[in-house]
């Protein structure tokens, strides 16, 4: 048993690091206790050497696990160093780190040491200590343990800002293959419960003044990318469904880093598919903020994203008849679909048009990436791309690009 | 006429007053930033609270909150020409009113938007990158930002660390905001001797450093990306990089 806090912290941070779903955003909250608030935009506190932002103290309560999910470093059949924190230790560490402005709050997850209830109970206890004993109003995100008593999940939800259930793999088939002890049904149950809890809270809030909040920053989930043969299409389909049926706030994608060997797993030499992960995040952005549907972005004849061009550009190539759009006339929704125009520049265009017509020289200053946009727009009726608008010609103009080579995952 | 002033917001607003009620300004500089030129005529203006208040009220009546924020943020920028940019922005604003910021591409609006954005970006960045150390019963932090941002940061921490006492020290400008019991003030500030760090504090530093190191996924290492987010110039005040 490891007693030293530093060693424990190292083990339990290491065990948690593959979970990417821990951004601190989604809730503006004033300090109504002794310490802590949060701002909706989220604050990144540090960036680790992999270039990822650290905003929360992300640890497992324990990495002792009775399950044997094949992609997971902590599965019972692995011979790794094990440790557990007590709820008191986690609460204390969170407060000490928070006071020094190292972190924005806590992201607490756990392996399943004995059974789901035992683990969920400890998670609840940690939150109770933080909120009630330390008067902490900062951000807390916890992992829900599927299979735990719904009452316990509910009580925890009244103390957390965000909860997540990681579905890890985007299809039933893949779950069967890599995590046979989990089932889609068992994962969906707590998701549904949390969603219902959130909806119910919103309803009841209208009638009661003092009602304990319930998961005010919503729920999220994560999927591992590249551990199975699932296509991008099936991943974004699942993503869209999760947004629609459970009102998820975020779906996170995590490029699979091989930690185990196994006949159903990619080889240990496989590079994490980072570019693919990036494309999926771009697509997710298009779903959430740009009013795209999953079917518009990919279809069975083309089930994976182009590695050379981003999803919006690929969409534009397949829908050339929609273009060009006129900067001085197009509605906001249409401007958003132009490659090289983002939400800020679309908004600026709309505002600027209220003052005066926009001229070609202005487009750069508005923040439009002209290199990409010029093939898809006119400005005061004039087209500034090439005369013959066809995808192949444009692709060539936009090259040369450093080619990203994706290593074959299933070699 | 080039107007010079003491660097305070009151001083700046007094210059705007003079611009409208006495001689037109061609440029405005802080006195300590300005090298007296042989050809240009310059005049130093003393801050006058009656005049500055009049201008301030006019700004509040005439402009949107967005514009007022832009003025505040740009004023705290480290750009040498920011006062002159603000002069033209305000002048144009008095002509076109509340929709001033809609005219994003206008030659006098754009520089202010850009500077304001740079300052607000730096504020946001430092809300995360600032590190406190416990010294006695006070949380102390040192930063060296490009822009003069500590007064823009303090309310965030005052809410967050409501029951603590803390100091945010801008080492570059030799100033600090000091917070205790629900109030804060800005003061000249410097530290004579090295701070005494307790054993407990050293242990917590070690815990954080250990965590910081462990959380990185080595298969995804990307030092260039890391440096883009945490430029080297900030690192000497960030515990995990020291
Ligand atoms: S239950 Fe969680 S911690 Fe345990 S093996 Fe499966 S993924 Fe890993």
């Amino acid at each position: 048993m490891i007693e030293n806090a530093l060693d424990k912290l190292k083990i339990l941070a290491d065990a948690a690091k593959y979970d990417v779903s821990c951004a601190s955003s989604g809730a503006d909250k004033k300090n109504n206790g002794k310490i802590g608030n949060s701002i909706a935009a989220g604050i990144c506190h540090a960036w680790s050497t992999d270039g990822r932002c650290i905003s929360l103290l992300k640890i497992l309560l324990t990495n002792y696990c009775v399950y044997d999910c094949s992609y997971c470093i902590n599965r019972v059949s692995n011979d790794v160093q094990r440790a557990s924190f007590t709820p008191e230790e986690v609460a204390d560490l969170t407060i000490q780190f928070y006071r020094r402005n190292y972190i924005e709050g806590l992201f607490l997850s756990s392996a399943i040491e004995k059974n789901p209830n035992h683990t969920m109970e400890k998670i609840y206890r940690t939150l109770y200590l933080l909120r009630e004993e330390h008067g902490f109003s900062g951000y807390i995100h916890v992992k829900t343990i599927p299979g735990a008593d719904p009452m316990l999940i509910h009580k925890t939800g009244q103390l957390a800002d965000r909860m997540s259930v990681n579905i890890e793999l985007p299809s039933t088939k893949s779950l069967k293959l890599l995590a046979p002890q989990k089932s889609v049904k068992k994962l969906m149950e707590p998701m549904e419960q949390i969603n219902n809890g959130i909806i119910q809270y919103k309803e009841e809030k209208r009638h009661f003044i003092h009602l304990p909040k319930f998961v005010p920053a919503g729920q999220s989930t994560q999927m591992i990318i590249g551990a199975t043969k699932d296509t991008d299409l099936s991943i974004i389909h699942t993503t869209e469904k999760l947004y629609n049926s459970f009102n998820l706030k975020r779906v996170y994608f995590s490029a699979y880093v091989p930690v185990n060997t196994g006949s159903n797993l990619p080889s240990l030499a496989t590079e994490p598919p980072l570019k693919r992960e990036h494309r999926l995040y771009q697509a997710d952005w298009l779903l959430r903020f740009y009013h795209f549907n999953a079917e518009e972005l990919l279809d069975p004849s083309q089930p994976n994203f182009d590695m050379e061009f981003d999803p919006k550009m690929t969409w534009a190539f397949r829908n050339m008849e929609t273009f060009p759009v006129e900067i001085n006339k197009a509605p906001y929704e249409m401007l958003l679909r132009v490659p090289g125009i983002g939400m800020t520049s679309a908004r600026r265009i709309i505002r600027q048009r209220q003052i005066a017509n926009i001229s070609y020289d202005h487009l750069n200053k508005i923040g439009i990436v002209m290199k990409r946009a010029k093939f898809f727009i006119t400005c005061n009726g004039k087209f500034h791309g090439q005369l013959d608008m066809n995808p192949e010609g444009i692709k060539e103009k936009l090259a040369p690009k450093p080619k990203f080579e994706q290593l074959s995952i299933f070699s | 006429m080039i107007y010079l002033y003491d660097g305070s917001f009151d001083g700046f607003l007094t210059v705007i007053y003079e611009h409208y009620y006495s001689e037109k300004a061609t440029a405005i500089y802080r006195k300590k930033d300005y090298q007296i030129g042989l050809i240009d005529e310059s005049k130093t203006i003393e801050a006058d609270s009656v005049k500055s208040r009049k201008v301030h009220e006019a700004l509040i009546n005439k402009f949107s909150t967005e514009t007022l924020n832009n003025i505040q943020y740009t004023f705290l920028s480290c750009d040498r020409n920011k006062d002159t940019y603000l002069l033209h922005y305000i002048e144009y604003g008095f002509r076109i009113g509340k929709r001033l910021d809609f005219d994003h591409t206008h030659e006098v609006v754009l520089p202010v938007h850009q500077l304001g954005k740079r300052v607000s970006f730096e504020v946001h960045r430092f809300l995360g990158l600032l590190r406190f150390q416990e010294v006695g019963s006070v949380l102390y932090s040192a930063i060296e930002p490009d822009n003069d941002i500590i007064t823009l940061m303090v309310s965030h921490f005052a809410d967050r660390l409501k029951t603590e006492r803390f100091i945010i020290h801008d080492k570059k400008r030799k100033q600090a905001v000091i917070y205790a019991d629900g109030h804060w003030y800005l003061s000249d500030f410097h530290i004579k001797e090295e701070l005494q760090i307790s054993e407990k504090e050293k242990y917590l530093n070690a815990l954080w450093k250990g965590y910081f190191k462990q959380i990185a996924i080595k298969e995804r290492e990307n030092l260039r990306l890391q440096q883009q987010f945490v430029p080297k110039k900030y690192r000497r005040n960030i515990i995990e990089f020291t």
Side-chain angles (χ1 to χ4, degrees):
Chain A
M1 193 76 191
I2 285 143
E3 288 302 335
N4 178 310
L6 181 56
D7 291 335
K8 272 201 219 178
L9 180 61
K10 282 184 181 168
I11 292 168
L12 293 169
D14 194 66
K17 71 185 176 188
Y18 298 106
D19 198 315
V20 297
S21 54
C22 80
S24 68
S25 58
D28 259 325
K29 206 170 52 155
K30 280 270 186 200
N31 182 356
N32 59 12
K34 290 187 199 137
I35 174 170
N37 62 19
S38 48
I39 66 168
I43 297 178
C44 300
H45 285 255
W47 278 269
S48 63
T49 51
D50 55 28
R52 295 185 313 155
C53 139
I54 301 172
S55 70
L56 305 172
L57 170 61
K58 176 167 60 167
I59 45 172
L60 298 190
L61 254 175
T62 178
N63 67 339
Y64 285 99
C65 196
V66 291
Y67 285 74
D68 203 27
C69 309
S70 48
Y71 49 80
C72 177
I73 184 99
N74 302 313
R75 62 179 179 180
V76 63
S77 56
N78 273 10
D79 181 22
V80 293
Q81 274 195 307
R82 307 271 173 180
S84 297
F85 272 128
T86 63
E88 286 73 16
E89 286 171 324
V90 174
D92 201 47
L93 199 58
T94 305
I95 295 294
Q96 292 310 335
F97 277 10
Y98 192 87
R99 291 177 68 224
R100 286 160 182 80
N101 207 41
Y102 298 162
I103 53 166
E104 200 55 19
L106 173 68
F107 176 66
L108 187 62
S109 180
S110 184
I112 298 158
E113 192 168 357
K114 289 195 181 113
N115 56 55
N117 272 347
H118 170 258
T119 300
M120 200 70 220
E121 181 80 53
K122 274 176 83 178
I123 291 177
Y124 168 74
R125 170 97 187 127
T126 310
L127 266 55
Y128 181 85
L129 288 173
L130 272 168
R131 296 292 196 217
E132 304 296 326
E133 310 262 296
H134 293 279
F136 180 65
S137 301
Y139 195 80
I140 304 180
H141 176 171
V142 293
K143 202 70 86 50
T144 315
I145 306 298
D149 186 333
M151 195 55 221
L152 204 48
I153 294 179
H154 188 79
K155 271 169 58 188
T156 308
Q158 292 178 330
L159 300 177
D161 290 288
R162 172 169 288 184
M163 292 180 97
S164 60
V165 186
N166 281 359
I167 72 166
E168 305 291 10
L169 299 165
S171 65
T172 316
K173 211 174 98 203
S174 303
L175 265 176
K176 269 216 183 85
L177 196 67
L178 297 186
Q181 287 152 304
K182 295 182 177 171
S183 72
V184 176
K185 190 171 155 282
K186 252 178 39 201
L187 293 175
M188 296 299 163
E189 272 168 11
M191 270 195 195
E192 194 161 1
Q193 190 202 336
I194 294 166
N195 188 34
N196 290 340
I198 293 171
I199 294 170
Q200 196 184 347
Y201 168 72
K202 284 184 183 150
E203 285 281 305
E204 288 175 358
K205 198 172 57 176
R206 290 195 238 132
H207 310 294
F208 302 99
I209 301 168
H210 297 291
L211 187 70
K213 283 212 164 79
F214 189 80
V215 198
Q219 64 168 327
S220 64
T221 192
Q222 105 162 352
M223 274 185 260
I224 300 170
I225 304 310
T228 55
K229 296 189 190 188
D230 297 288
T231 60
D232 291 345
L233 176 62
S234 95
I235 292 166
I236 59 166
H237 253 303
T238 305
T239 303
E240 190 173 57
K241 248 196 261 158
L242 289 167
Y243 284 133
N244 294 341
S245 24
F246 301 115
N247 294 304
L248 286 207
K249 270 277 145 51
R250 277 303 297 274
V251 174
Y252 291 89
F253 309 107
S254 160
Y256 177 64
V257 178
V259 288
N260 299 326
T261 49
S263 53
N264 294 327
L265 288 171
S267 90
L268 276 183
T270 309
E271 295 272 334
L274 295 177
K275 186 84 183 189
R276 188 172 171 211
E277 178 193 280
H278 182 61
R279 287 279 176 262
L280 284 163
Y281 275 122
Q282 288 175 321
D284 174 67
W285 205 255
L286 295 180
L287 295 182
R288 287 188 298 138
F289 300 112
Y290 287 76
H291 314 290
F292 280 89
N293 303 321
E295 297 96 79
E296 288 182 284
L297 297 175
L298 291 171
D299 59 53
S301 70
Q302 220 172 358
N304 288 305
F305 286 115
D306 194 330
M307 285 298 132
E308 210 166 339
F309 296 99
D310 65 70
K312 197 173 168 190
M313 184 65 96
T314 317
W315 177 83
F317 287 147
R318 287 200 276 125
N319 293 276
M320 287 308 280
E321 72 286 352
T322 330
F323 299 106
V325 304
E326 167 56 42
I327 289 290
N328 281 297
K329 293 216 179 76
Y332 179 74
E333 291 71 29
M334 199 55 232
L335 289 170
L336 278 184
R337 296 206 158 204
V338 178
I341 297 184
M343 287 195 292
T344 308
S345 39
R347 196 179 120 252
R348 279 186 192 147
I349 291 170
I350 300 290
R351 298 217 305 181
Q352 189 97 41
R353 290 199 309 215
Q354 295 180 38
I355 303 264
N357 229 29
I358 297 173
S359 76
Y360 186 71
D361 307 336
H362 285 156
L363 300 180
N364 259 330
K365 292 184 190 161
I366 285 175
I368 298 176
V369 186
M370 286 306 289
K371 199 179 126 205
R372 271 182 274 154
K374 69 176 174 199
F375 303 106
F376 305 98
I377 56 169
T378 57
C379 191
N380 294 308
K382 196 165 175 320
F383 183 63
H384 295 266
Q386 54 197 16
L387 282 180
D388 186 18
M389 266 183 62
N390 71 73
E392 291 317 310
I394 298 171
K395 279 185 190 174
E396 212 163 275
K397 283 261 156 85
L398 285 170
K401 276 195 152 191
K403 268 228 166 125
F404 189 98
E405 252 191 76
Q406 220 206 355
L407 297 172
S408 162
I409 306 170
F410 302 99
S411 43
Chain B
M1 175 65 68
I2 293 175
Y3 283 112
L4 307 178
Y5 75 108
D6 60 2
S8 71
F9 195 53
D10 260 344
F12 172 73
L13 294 181
T14 310
V15 172
I16 299 293
Y17 184 93
E18 296 299 331
H19 170 77
Y20 278 102
Y21 293 101
S22 107
E23 206 174 338
K24 288 258 170 279
T26 50
I28 306 172
Y29 295 106
R30 295 178 188 216
K31 194 161 186 183
K32 63 177 193 305
D33 294 343
Y34 183 70
Q35 298 274 327
I36 305 281
L38 288 174
I39 311 158
D40 301 325
E41 250 194 293
S42 63
K43 185 154 95 188
T44 301
I45 300 291
E46 296 300 326
D48 176 327
S49 62
V50 176
K51 290 175 181 171
S52 78
R53 191 172 320 133
K54 277 192 182 142
V55 177
H56 202 186
E57 275 163 17
L59 295 180
I60 291 169
N61 287 333
K62 188 85 185 183
F63 294 146
S64 69
T65 330
E66 187 181 348
T67 302
L68 295 172
N69 278 337
N70 285 334
I71 293 172
Q72 189 193 7
Y73 276 68
T74 304
F75 181 75
L76 295 171
S77 156
C78 61
D79 190 288
R80 202 177 156 269
N81 296 315
K82 48 107 186 166
D83 298 303
T84 310
Y85 289 144
L86 277 178
L87 167 72
H88 298 316
Y89 176 72
I90 289 170
E91 226 184 355
Y92 182 52
F94 277 133
R95 272 190 277 138
I96 84 163
K98 286 212 179 351
R99 291 201 303 179
L100 172 61
D101 294 302
F102 287 20
D103 205 352
H104 177 79
T105 60
H106 193 281
E107 59 180 10
V108 307
V109 178
L110 190 60
V112 169
H113 281 188
Q114 284 168 338
L115 288 185
K117 203 174 149 203
R118 217 177 293 161
V119 174
S120 90
F121 179 71
E122 197 179 38
V123 170
H124 186 81
R125 180 177 233 165
F126 270 97
L127 294 185
L129 290 181
L130 173 148
R131 298 286 175 264
F132 284 113
Q133 288 201 298
E134 196 174 58
V135 184
S137 62
V138 174
L139 293 168
Y140 167 84
S141 81
I143 58 174
E144 295 167 79
D146 293 338
N147 304 293
D148 189 3
I149 57 173
I150 49 175
T151 53
L152 297 173
M153 294 170 62
V154 63
S155 64
H156 170 82
F157 289 107
D159 180 51
R160 179 162 286 207
L161 303 169
K162 185 158 83 171
T163 58
E164 307 264 1
R165 300 193 290 164
F166 67 78
I167 294 169
I168 300 173
H169 180 190
D170 182 338
K171 284 212 276 193
K172 235 186 221 172
R173 292 168 187 79
K174 302 187 175 60
Q175 286 191 319
V177 287
I178 296 160
Y179 169 90
D181 304 323
H183 302 283
W184 65 266
Y185 62 96
L186 180 69
S187 165
D188 288 339
F189 194 85
H190 76 285
I191 290 176
K192 275 203 204 120
E193 315 152 26
E194 283 271 301
L195 292 171
Q196 291 299 313
I197 306 297
S198 69
E199 286 309 310
K200 183 185 158 214
E201 191 61 20
K202 282 182 195 157
Y203 178 64
L204 266 150
N205 289 347
L207 279 179
W208 172 243
K209 285 183 180 188
Y211 174 78
F212 178 72
K213 216 171 139 206
Q214 207 69 39
I215 202 76
I217 298 178
K218 69 173 190 309
E219 289 87 347
R220 299 179 62 135
E221 183 171 283
N222 189 344
L223 295 175
R224 247 187 41 213
L225 192 58
Q226 185 192 33
Q227 191 169 326
Q228 194 179 309
F229 291 122
V230 194
K232 292 243 160 79
K233 65 178 173 187
Y234 297 141
R235 293 190 181 185
R236 63 174 166 269
N237 294 310
I238 303 178
I239 184 82
E240 61 268 27
F241 289 103
T242 56

